[in-house]
Amino acid sequence: MQIAQNSVVAFHYTLTNDAGEVLDSSEGREPLTYLHGAGNIIPGLEKELEGRAEGDKLNVKVTPEEGYGEVQEQLMQEVPRDAFQGVESIEPGMQFQAQTQGGPLMVTVKKVEGDTVVVDGNHPLAGQHLNFDVEIATVREASQEEAEHGHVHGEGGVEH
């Protein structure tokens, strides 16, 4: 069966950046499983998996535009230290959930300068080319319920 709209796909992958550093991998774990066409994985990877079949191996280079987007400078902000009430020590790399007009947003602390904290609301992989080494483990047709819900259900059925 070829990967198409409403296929349930399981695949193993290794994700590297352009410097060859491994950013993520399914090695030693279960394959990543998703519902094709439901926007559950980044667009550039989903597009390249279309039409592939179980056992296929491929290398995919995803541009920032088809991955996590370009870095948006407006998502970098300086906030007062007292906005982090109840947090004793704030260090670069820490992540917090901020409440914004558009809803919750994960932000990463970039630097702390006195009473000012610089946070970044961009995805940590924004602006980067993503290199995937993929092996497709299984492909099956989604159940009607999975297609309606827009995601894969576990072996025991609905888990939400």
Side-chain angles (χ1 to χ4, degrees):
M1 175 177 183
Q2 289 188 318
I3 297 173
Q5 182 73 28
N6 291 332
S7 296
V8 173
V9 182
F11 67 94
H12 283 285
Y13 68 94
T14 298
L15 168 62
T16 59
N17 60 17
D18 280 343
E21 299 167 316
V22 175
L23 303 175
D24 194 12
S25 176
S26 65
E27 186 176 335
R29 302 187 319 226
E30 291 294 315
L32 177 67
T33 303
Y34 78 100
L35 178 63
H36 193 79
N40 298 152
I41 63 173
I42 59 173
L45 180 56
E46 187 170 56
K47 183 173 74 176
E48 291 297 321
L49 294 178
E50 181 89 22
R52 303 295 182 147
E54 188 172 311
D56 283 358
K57 295 180 181 183
L58 61 152
N59 295 304
V60 177
K61 184 174 186 109
V62 177
T63 63
E65 298 82 17
E66 293 196 316
Y68 292 101
E70 294 291 349
V71 172
Q72 298 178 47
E73 293 302 323
Q74 69 271 22
L75 293 178
M76 302 269 293
Q77 295 187 349
E78 292 183 355
V79 294
R81 167 73 175 84
D82 61 11
F84 297 85
Q85 294 177 357
V87 180
E88 247 180 72
S89 176
I90 300 175
E91 304 291 330
M94 293 176 82
Q95 292 189 314
F96 296 91
Q97 185 171 329
Q99 297 303 321
T100 70
Q101 291 177 344
L105 175 69
M106 286 300 296
V107 297
T108 303
V109 174
K110 289 300 184 184
K111 60 183 167 180
V112 180
E113 297 173 333
D115 288 336
T116 302
V117 179
V118 178
V119 297
D120 183 357
N122 287 288
H123 187 282
L125 298 177
Q128 295 188 44
H129 286 95
L130 305 173
N131 304 293
F132 290 89
D133 184 17
V134 174
E135 181 176 357
I136 299 168
T138 61
V139 180
R140 68 170 172 82
E141 189 174 327
S143 69
Q144 182 177 343
E145 191 173 59
E146 288 171 321
E148 288 171 359
H149 289 191
H151 58 258
V152 177
H153 293 154
E155 288 182 34
V158 182
E159 295 178 6
H160 57 83

mmCIF file with all atom_site columns, all heavy atoms in Angstrom, residues 29-43:
data_model
loop_
_atom_site.group_PDB
_atom_site.id
_atom_site.type_symbol
_atom_site.label_atom_id
_atom_site.label_alt_id
_atom_site.label_comp_id
_atom_site.label_asym_id
_atom_site.label_entity_id
_atom_site.label_seq_id
_atom_site.pdbx_PDB_ins_code
_atom_site.Cartn_x
_atom_site.Cartn_y
_atom_site.Cartn_z
_atom_site.occupancy
_atom_site.B_iso_or_equiv
_atom_site.pdbx_formal_charge
_atom_site.auth_seq_id
_atom_site.auth_comp_id
_atom_site.auth_asym_id
_atom_site.auth_atom_id
_atom_site.pdbx_PDB_model_num
ATOM 1   N N   . ARG A 1 29 ? 13.681 2.887  19.844 1.00 0.00 ? 29 ARG A N   1
ATOM 2   C CA  . ARG A 1 29 ? 12.300 3.141  20.261 1.00 0.00 ? 29 ARG A CA  1
ATOM 3   C C   . ARG A 1 29 ? 11.352 2.619  19.193 1.00 0.00 ? 29 ARG A C   1
ATOM 4   O O   . ARG A 1 29 ? 11.770 2.175  18.129 1.00 0.00 ? 29 ARG A O   1
ATOM 5   C CB  . ARG A 1 29 ? 12.060 4.660  20.434 1.00 0.00 ? 29 ARG A CB  1
ATOM 6   C CG  . ARG A 1 29 ? 12.975 5.323  21.430 1.00 0.00 ? 29 ARG A CG  1
ATOM 7   C CD  . ARG A 1 29 ? 12.594 6.764  21.702 1.00 0.00 ? 29 ARG A CD  1
ATOM 8   N NE  . ARG A 1 29 ? 12.194 7.507  20.525 1.00 0.00 ? 29 ARG A NE  1
ATOM 9   C CZ  . ARG A 1 29 ? 12.608 8.727  20.228 1.00 0.00 ? 29 ARG A CZ  1
ATOM 10  N NH1 . ARG A 1 29 ? 13.428 9.360  21.008 1.00 0.00 ? 29 ARG A NH1 1
ATOM 11  N NH2 . ARG A 1 29 ? 12.179 9.341  19.152 1.00 0.00 ? 29 ARG A NH2 1
ATOM 12  N N   . GLU A 1 30 ? 10.069 2.743  19.489 1.00 0.00 ? 30 GLU A N   1
ATOM 13  C CA  . GLU A 1 30 ? 9.047  2.401  18.500 1.00 0.00 ? 30 GLU A CA  1
ATOM 14  C C   . GLU A 1 30 ? 9.110  3.429  17.370 1.00 0.00 ? 30 GLU A C   1
ATOM 15  O O   . GLU A 1 30 ? 9.515  4.574  17.582 1.00 0.00 ? 30 GLU A O   1
ATOM 16  C CB  . GLU A 1 30 ? 7.659  2.442  19.148 1.00 0.00 ? 30 GLU A CB  1
ATOM 17  C CG  . GLU A 1 30 ? 7.428  1.341  20.161 1.00 0.00 ? 30 GLU A CG  1
ATOM 18  C CD  . GLU A 1 30 ? 7.403  -0.039 19.524 1.00 0.00 ? 30 GLU A CD  1
ATOM 19  O OE1 . GLU A 1 30 ? 6.746  -0.210 18.473 1.00 0.00 ? 30 GLU A OE1 1
ATOM 20  O OE2 . GLU A 1 30 ? 8.047  -0.944 20.075 1.00 0.00 ? 30 GLU A OE2 1
ATOM 21  N N   . PRO A 1 31 ? 8.686  3.058  16.165 1.00 0.00 ? 31 PRO A N   1
ATOM 22  C CA  . PRO A 1 31 ? 8.658  4.050  15.083 1.00 0.00 ? 31 PRO A CA  1
ATOM 23  C C   . PRO A 1 31 ? 7.634  5.147  15.384 1.00 0.00 ? 31 PRO A C   1
ATOM 24  O O   . PRO A 1 31 ? 6.705  4.938  16.165 1.00 0.00 ? 31 PRO A O   1
ATOM 25  C CB  . PRO A 1 31 ? 8.249  3.242  13.855 1.00 0.00 ? 31 PRO A CB  1
ATOM 26  C CG  . PRO A 1 31 ? 7.609  2.006  14.380 1.00 0.00 ? 31 PRO A CG  1
ATOM 27  C CD  . PRO A 1 31 ? 8.199  1.756  15.737 1.00 0.00 ? 31 PRO A CD  1
ATOM 28  N N   . LEU A 1 32 ? 7.816  6.293  14.781 1.00 0.00 ? 32 LEU A N   1
ATOM 29  C CA  . LEU A 1 32 ? 6.851  7.389  14.874 1.00 0.00 ? 32 LEU A CA  1
ATOM 30  C C   . LEU A 1 32 ? 5.662  7.029  13.996 1.00 0.00 ? 32 LEU A C   1
ATOM 31  O O   . LEU A 1 32 ? 5.837  6.632  12.843 1.00 0.00 ? 32 LEU A O   1
ATOM 32  C CB  . LEU A 1 32 ? 7.485  8.697  14.394 1.00 0.00 ? 32 LEU A CB  1
ATOM 33  C CG  . LEU A 1 32 ? 6.570  9.915  14.367 1.00 0.00 ? 32 LEU A CG  1
ATOM 34  C CD1 . LEU A 1 32 ? 6.188  10.314 15.789 1.00 0.00 ? 32 LEU A CD1 1
ATOM 35  C CD2 . LEU A 1 32 ? 7.254  11.070 13.677 1.00 0.00 ? 32 LEU A CD2 1
ATOM 36  N N   . THR A 1 33 ? 4.467  7.162  14.536 1.00 0.00 ? 33 THR A N   1
ATOM 37  C CA  . THR A 1 33 ? 3.248  6.830  13.795 1.00 0.00 ? 33 THR A CA  1
ATOM 38  C C   . THR A 1 33 ? 2.392  8.072  13.660 1.00 0.00 ? 33 THR A C   1
ATOM 39  O O   . THR A 1 33 ? 2.230  8.825  14.624 1.00 0.00 ? 33 THR A O   1
ATOM 40  C CB  . THR A 1 33 ? 2.458  5.717  14.525 1.00 0.00 ? 33 THR A CB  1
ATOM 41  O OG1 . THR A 1 33 ? 3.310  4.589  14.690 1.00 0.00 ? 33 THR A OG1 1
ATOM 42  C CG2 . THR A 1 33 ? 1.230  5.311  13.739 1.00 0.00 ? 33 THR A CG2 1
ATOM 43  N N   . TYR A 1 34 ? 1.873  8.322  12.476 1.00 0.00 ? 34 TYR A N   1
ATOM 44  C CA  . TYR A 1 34 ? 1.044  9.508  12.227 1.00 0.00 ? 34 TYR A CA  1
ATOM 45  C C   . TYR A 1 34 ? -0.019 9.207  11.183 1.00 0.00 ? 34 TYR A C   1
ATOM 46  O O   . TYR A 1 34 ? 0.062  8.217  10.454 1.00 0.00 ? 34 TYR A O   1
ATOM 47  C CB  . TYR A 1 34 ? 1.920  10.688 11.791 1.00 0.00 ? 34 TYR A CB  1
ATOM 48  C CG  . TYR A 1 34 ? 2.353  10.617 10.336 1.00 0.00 ? 34 TYR A CG  1
ATOM 49  C CD1 . TYR A 1 34 ? 1.692  11.366 9.366  1.00 0.00 ? 34 TYR A CD1 1
ATOM 50  C CD2 . TYR A 1 34 ? 3.384  9.788  9.925  1.00 0.00 ? 34 TYR A CD2 1
ATOM 51  C CE1 . TYR A 1 34 ? 2.062  11.289 8.029  1.00 0.00 ? 34 TYR A CE1 1
ATOM 52  C CE2 . TYR A 1 34 ? 3.763  9.702  8.605  1.00 0.00 ? 34 TYR A CE2 1
ATOM 53  C CZ  . TYR A 1 34 ? 3.100  10.456 7.658  1.00 0.00 ? 34 TYR A CZ  1
ATOM 54  O OH  . TYR A 1 34 ? 3.446  10.376 6.335  1.00 0.00 ? 34 TYR A OH  1
ATOM 55  N N   . LEU A 1 35 ? -1.012 10.094 11.105 1.00 0.00 ? 35 LEU A N   1
ATOM 56  C CA  . LEU A 1 35 ? -2.066 10.004 10.098 1.00 0.00 ? 35 LEU A CA  1
ATOM 57  C C   . LEU A 1 35 ? -1.690 10.939 8.954  1.00 0.00 ? 35 LEU A C   1
ATOM 58  O O   . LEU A 1 35 ? -1.615 12.156 9.138  1.00 0.00 ? 35 LEU A O   1
ATOM 59  C CB  . LEU A 1 35 ? -3.411 10.412 10.696 1.00 0.00 ? 35 LEU A CB  1
ATOM 60  C CG  . LEU A 1 35 ? -4.603 10.415 9.730  1.00 0.00 ? 35 LEU A CG  1
ATOM 61  C CD1 . LEU A 1 35 ? -4.869 9.008  9.188  1.00 0.00 ? 35 LEU A CD1 1
ATOM 62  C CD2 . LEU A 1 35 ? -5.843 10.961 10.422 1.00 0.00 ? 35 LEU A CD2 1
ATOM 63  N N   . HIS A 1 36 ? -1.445 10.367 7.785  1.00 0.00 ? 36 HIS A N   1
ATOM 64  C CA  . HIS A 1 36 ? -1.001 11.158 6.638  1.00 0.00 ? 36 HIS A CA  1
ATOM 65  C C   . HIS A 1 36 ? -2.109 12.085 6.145  1.00 0.00 ? 36 HIS A C   1
ATOM 66  O O   . HIS A 1 36 ? -3.266 11.685 6.014  1.00 0.00 ? 36 HIS A O   1
ATOM 67  C CB  . HIS A 1 36 ? -0.561 10.232 5.494  1.00 0.00 ? 36 HIS A CB  1
ATOM 68  C CG  . HIS A 1 36 ? 0.183  10.944 4.415  1.00 0.00 ? 36 HIS A CG  1
ATOM 69  N ND1 . HIS A 1 36 ? 1.506  11.283 4.527  1.00 0.00 ? 36 HIS A ND1 1
ATOM 70  C CD2 . HIS A 1 36 ? -0.224 11.405 3.209  1.00 0.00 ? 36 HIS A CD2 1
ATOM 71  C CE1 . HIS A 1 36 ? 1.888  11.908 3.423  1.00 0.00 ? 36 HIS A CE1 1
ATOM 72  N NE2 . HIS A 1 36 ? 0.849  12.002 2.611  1.00 0.00 ? 36 HIS A NE2 1
ATOM 73  N N   . GLY A 1 37 ? -1.751 13.335 5.908  1.00 0.00 ? 37 GLY A N   1
ATOM 74  C CA  . GLY A 1 37 ? -2.690 14.321 5.382  1.00 0.00 ? 37 GLY A CA  1
ATOM 75  C C   . GLY A 1 37 ? -3.412 15.118 6.447  1.00 0.00 ? 37 GLY A C   1
ATOM 76  O O   . GLY A 1 37 ? -4.214 15.995 6.132  1.00 0.00 ? 37 GLY A O   1
ATOM 77  N N   . ALA A 1 38 ? -3.133 14.829 7.721  1.00 0.00 ? 38 ALA A N   1
ATOM 78  C CA  . ALA A 1 38 ? -3.836 15.517 8.816  1.00 0.00 ? 38 ALA A CA  1
ATOM 79  C C   . ALA A 1 38 ? -2.980 16.600 9.462  1.00 0.00 ? 38 ALA A C   1
ATOM 80  O O   . ALA A 1 38 ? -3.369 17.191 10.463 1.00 0.00 ? 38 ALA A O   1
ATOM 81  C CB  . ALA A 1 38 ? -4.280 14.512 9.871  1.00 0.00 ? 38 ALA A CB  1
ATOM 82  N N   . GLY A 1 39 ? -1.795 16.876 8.878  1.00 0.00 ? 39 GLY A N   1
ATOM 83  C CA  . GLY A 1 39 ? -0.936 17.917 9.429  1.00 0.00 ? 39 GLY A CA  1
ATOM 84  C C   . GLY A 1 39 ? -0.276 17.534 10.741 1.00 0.00 ? 39 GLY A C   1
ATOM 85  O O   . GLY A 1 39 ? 0.067  18.398 11.538 1.00 0.00 ? 39 GLY A O   1
ATOM 86  N N   . ASN A 1 40 ? -0.079 16.240 10.964 1.00 0.00 ? 40 ASN A N   1
ATOM 87  C CA  . ASN A 1 40 ? 0.516  15.764 12.211 1.00 0.00 ? 40 ASN A CA  1
ATOM 88  C C   . ASN A 1 40 ? 2.037  15.803 12.222 1.00 0.00 ? 40 ASN A C   1
ATOM 89  O O   . ASN A 1 40 ? 2.640  15.648 13.282 1.00 0.00 ? 40 ASN A O   1
ATOM 90  C CB  . ASN A 1 40 ? 0.055  14.347 12.536 1.00 0.00 ? 40 ASN A CB  1
ATOM 91  C CG  . ASN A 1 40 ? -1.449 14.216 12.745 1.00 0.00 ? 40 ASN A CG  1
ATOM 92  O OD1 . ASN A 1 40 ? -2.016 13.181 12.505 1.00 0.00 ? 40 ASN A OD1 1
ATOM 93  N ND2 . ASN A 1 40 ? -2.103 15.272 13.204 1.00 0.00 ? 40 ASN A ND2 1
ATOM 94  N N   . ILE A 1 41 ? 2.664  15.940 11.063 1.00 0.00 ? 41 ILE A N   1
ATOM 95  C CA  . ILE A 1 41 ? 4.119  16.097 10.974 1.00 0.00 ? 41 ILE A CA  1
ATOM 96  C C   . ILE A 1 41 ? 4.402  17.318 10.098 1.00 0.00 ? 41 ILE A C   1
ATOM 97  O O   . ILE A 1 41 ? 3.492  17.838 9.442  1.00 0.00 ? 41 ILE A O   1
ATOM 98  C CB  . ILE A 1 41 ? 4.826  14.830 10.425 1.00 0.00 ? 41 ILE A CB  1
ATOM 99  C CG1 . ILE A 1 41 ? 4.386  14.516 8.988  1.00 0.00 ? 41 ILE A CG1 1
ATOM 100 C CG2 . ILE A 1 41 ? 4.587  13.638 11.348 1.00 0.00 ? 41 ILE A CG2 1
ATOM 101 C CD1 . ILE A 1 41 ? 5.180  13.381 8.340  1.00 0.00 ? 41 ILE A CD1 1
ATOM 102 N N   . ILE A 1 42 ? 5.658  17.755 10.069 1.00 0.00 ? 42 ILE A N   1
ATOM 103 C CA  . ILE A 1 42 ? 5.974  18.965 9.298  1.00 0.00 ? 42 ILE A CA  1
ATOM 104 C C   . ILE A 1 42 ? 5.673  18.751 7.811  1.00 0.00 ? 42 ILE A C   1
ATOM 105 O O   . ILE A 1 42 ? 5.839  17.646 7.286  1.00 0.00 ? 42 ILE A O   1
ATOM 106 C CB  . ILE A 1 42 ? 7.424  19.429 9.520  1.00 0.00 ? 42 ILE A CB  1
ATOM 107 C CG1 . ILE A 1 42 ? 8.430  18.359 9.130  1.00 0.00 ? 42 ILE A CG1 1
ATOM 108 C CG2 . ILE A 1 42 ? 7.639  19.909 10.958 1.00 0.00 ? 42 ILE A CG2 1
ATOM 109 C CD1 . ILE A 1 42 ? 9.868  18.820 9.169  1.00 0.00 ? 42 ILE A CD1 1
ATOM 110 N N   . PRO A 1 43 ? 5.205  19.810 7.145  1.00 0.00 ? 43 PRO A N   1
ATOM 111 C CA  . PRO A 1 43 ? 4.745  19.679 5.750  1.00 0.00 ? 43 PRO A CA  1
ATOM 112 C C   . PRO A 1 43 ? 5.786  19.130 4.783  1.00 0.00 ? 43 PRO A C   1
ATOM 113 O O   . PRO A 1 43 ? 5.451  18.312 3.917  1.00 0.00 ? 43 PRO A O   1
ATOM 114 C CB  . PRO A 1 43 ? 4.358  21.107 5.362  1.00 0.00 ? 43 PRO A CB  1
ATOM 115 C CG  . PRO A 1 43 ? 4.122  21.819 6.652  1.00 0.00 ? 43 PRO A CG  1
ATOM 116 C CD  . PRO A 1 43 ? 5.001  21.160 7.669  1.00 0.00 ? 43 PRO A CD  1
#
